[in-house]
Amino acid sequence: MFTKRLFIAAAAMAITTFAATTWADNGLMTIIVNDPSNPYWLTEGQVAQKAAEKLGYSAKVSAHKGDTNTESQLIDTAITNKSKAIILDPANADGSVGSVKKAIAANIPVFIINAELNQSGLAKAQLVSNNAQGAAVGAMEWVKEVGDTANYVELVGPPSDNNAATRANGFDTVLSQYPTLKKVGQEVANWDRTQGFNKMQSLLQANPNIKGVISGNDEMALGAIAALKEAGKLNQIKVGGFDGSPDAVDAVKAGTLAYTVMQPVAQFAQKAVEQADSFLKTGKTGAASEKQLFDCILITKENAGNFVSPFVLKQ
């Protein structure tokens, strides 16, 4: 695990400091992700970069790490560098609107991926996981694993991210159908493994008799697993994740994570670049609507061996 974390950290450093030195014929495409120390956002940036370069663009990937001020500065840099298009995973559903408007004022089309904006009609496209569908699929599998009678706790993402609320609501829609399932605790762990570990320790101390943990993403779930293992309770408590990250898939194979729900981030990151290219060449994205939903896929021991690369299952 330590070696894998070093690899991810090194890759993240490379992706955030990458600067195109050869300008391709089609110009620069700027890609802004959240935090590539998380393998989900690392994959998002790498796939988009590769897709852009394949289409003849130079590609620069940078990260705002959830900070709207940093995001605004990165948009300014994209404008200064005369980017042809911006692929953006927004820092905040409301707080990122101003940055997007700056790019539009500079006649740079913006394509949103992963986390939607709360204002439509600005971005040329918003390509996101179908979080409600994924949450429902995950919650149904969670009930299969935990049973329909249990006390449980939940780890949720940051309130500024619409995905956090959508997943939490999706979980509740399913779990509330079982009156003998009782949620006895909930903590915000901001998609982070360390926070997931710390919050799980607190939740476990307050609720030692829980049977399950449902988590809004894999990093928080993996943190919870580490805390449960340290407490000697991992074999008594089922944990469910969301994202389909490589570490989570390994945990599913090992039996420490009950399941994860894979977001097709590699698919929509590539599709966003293709739609940007289409718009730059034809004035149209080729999509039927601005907002486009991509269904998530349940990952269990049965199909966890089918990964051909991060967030990509063989057909």
Side-chain angles (χ1 to χ4, degrees), residues 7-19 36 42 46 49 61:
F7 170 78
I8 290 173
M13 184 175 294
I15 202 171
T16 54
T17 58
F18 172 85
L42 176 65
Q46 287 179 330
Q49 178 181 342
V61 183

Side-chain angles (χ1 to χ4, degrees), residues 113-224:
I113 53 176
N114 181 55
E116 62 192 274
L117 291 177
N118 276 344
Q119 187 169 335
S120 59
L122 296 176
K124 298 302 178 186
Q126 297 197 57
L127 300 88
V128 298
S129 296
N130 189 343
N131 284 280
Q133 169 264 343
V137 167
M140 287 187 284
E141 181 65 20
W142 188 91
V143 173
K144 281 176 59 179
E145 294 283 346
V146 176
D148 60 6
T149 302
N151 288 348
Y152 73 95
V153 296
E154 181 176 355
L155 293 171
V156 299
S160 61
D161 189 335
N162 282 353
N163 290 343
T166 300
R167 291 174 202 170
N169 290 337
F171 295 155
D172 185 63
T173 297
V174 173
L175 301 184
S176 63
Q177 297 176 34
Y178 300 90
T180 48
L181 281 175
K182 184 180 179 183
K183 181 163 68 175
V184 294
Q186 176 178 301
E187 291 283 356
V188 174
N190 293 308
W191 307 138
D192 183 75
R193 191 180 302 201
T194 300
Q195 290 188 42
F197 177 86
N198 293 334
K199 299 290 188 176
M200 189 67 243
Q201 284 187 318
S202 299
L203 286 166
L204 192 58
Q205 189 173 13
N207 308 281
N209 297 318
I210 58 170
K211 290 185 179 179
V213 180
I214 193 162
S215 175
N217 87 331
D218 285 337
E219 287 297 291
M220 298 187 299
L222 291 167

Side-chain angles (χ1 to χ4, degrees), residues 14-285:
I15 202 171
T16 54
T17 58
F18 172 85
T21 54
T22 303
W23 294 84
D25 290 343
N26 289 337
L28 173 66
M29 194 173 290
T30 292
I31 301 154
I32 303 173
V33 301
N34 191 316
D35 184 356
S37 66
N38 182 315
Y40 178 87
W41 288 308
L42 176 65
T43 297
E44 180 180 75
Q46 287 179 330
V47 169
Q49 178 181 342
K50 184 177 180 181
E53 290 173 345
K54 187 175 181 180
L55 289 168
Y57 297 88
S58 298
K60 185 177 187 302
V61 183
S62 52
H64 53 64
K65 297 188 177 180
D67 182 76
T68 53
N69 290 326
T70 301
E71 178 183 59
S72 180
Q73 292 164 9
L74 292 172
I75 294 290
D76 288 340
T77 300
I79 294 169
T80 300
N81 289 341
K82 302 186 186 306
S83 298
K84 298 295 184 180
I86 296 172
I87 310 296
L88 173 66
D89 188 338
N92 186 294
D94 294 309
S96 297
V97 168
S99 291
V100 172
K101 286 181 175 179
K102 279 198 299 184
I104 293 169
N107 295 315
I108 301 174
V110 179
F111 297 78
I112 297 296
I113 53 176
N114 181 55
E116 62 192 274
L117 291 177
N118 276 344
Q119 187 169 335
S120 59
L122 296 176
K124 298 302 178 186
Q126 297 197 57
L127 300 88
V128 298
S129 296
N130 189 343
N131 284 280
Q133 169 264 343
V137 167
M140 287 187 284
E141 181 65 20
W142 188 91
V143 173
K144 281 176 59 179
E145 294 283 346
V146 176
D148 60 6
T149 302
N151 288 348
Y152 73 95
V153 296
E154 181 176 355
L155 293 171
V156 299
S160 61
D161 189 335
N162 282 353
N163 290 343
T166 300
R167 291 174 202 170
N169 290 337
F171 295 155
D172 185 63
T173 297
V174 173
L175 301 184
S176 63
Q177 297 176 34
Y178 300 90
T180 48
L181 281 175
K182 184 180 179 183
K183 181 163 68 175
V184 294
Q186 176 178 301
E187 291 283 356
V188 174
N190 293 308
W191 307 138
D192 183 75
R193 191 180 302 201
T194 300
Q195 290 188 42
F197 177 86
N198 293 334
K199 299 290 188 176
M200 189 67 243
Q201 284 187 318
S202 299
L203 286 166
L204 192 58
Q205 189 173 13
N207 308 281
N209 297 318
I210 58 170
K211 290 185 179 179
V213 180
I214 193 162
S215 175
N217 87 331
D218 285 337
E219 287 297 291
M220 298 187 299
L222 291 167
I225 286 171
L228 292 171
K229 186 176 182 180
E230 185 177 276
K233 292 204 168 188
L234 186 55
N235 63 340
Q236 305 166 33
I237 299 171
K238 299 286 187 179
V239 182
F242 198 112
D243 272 351
S245 73
D247 280 357
V249 173
D250 287 346
V252 170
K253 291 177 183 177
T256 55
L257 185 66
Y259 68 86
T260 183
V261 178
M262 189 191 79
Q263 297 192 76
V265 61
Q267 180 185 355
F268 62 68
Q270 176 163 333
K271 188 69 70 175
V273 172
E274 291 171 353
Q275 291 184 17
D277 177 62
S278 175
F279 181 82
L280 291 170
K281 291 174 178 175
T282 69
K284 298 179 180 179
T285 65

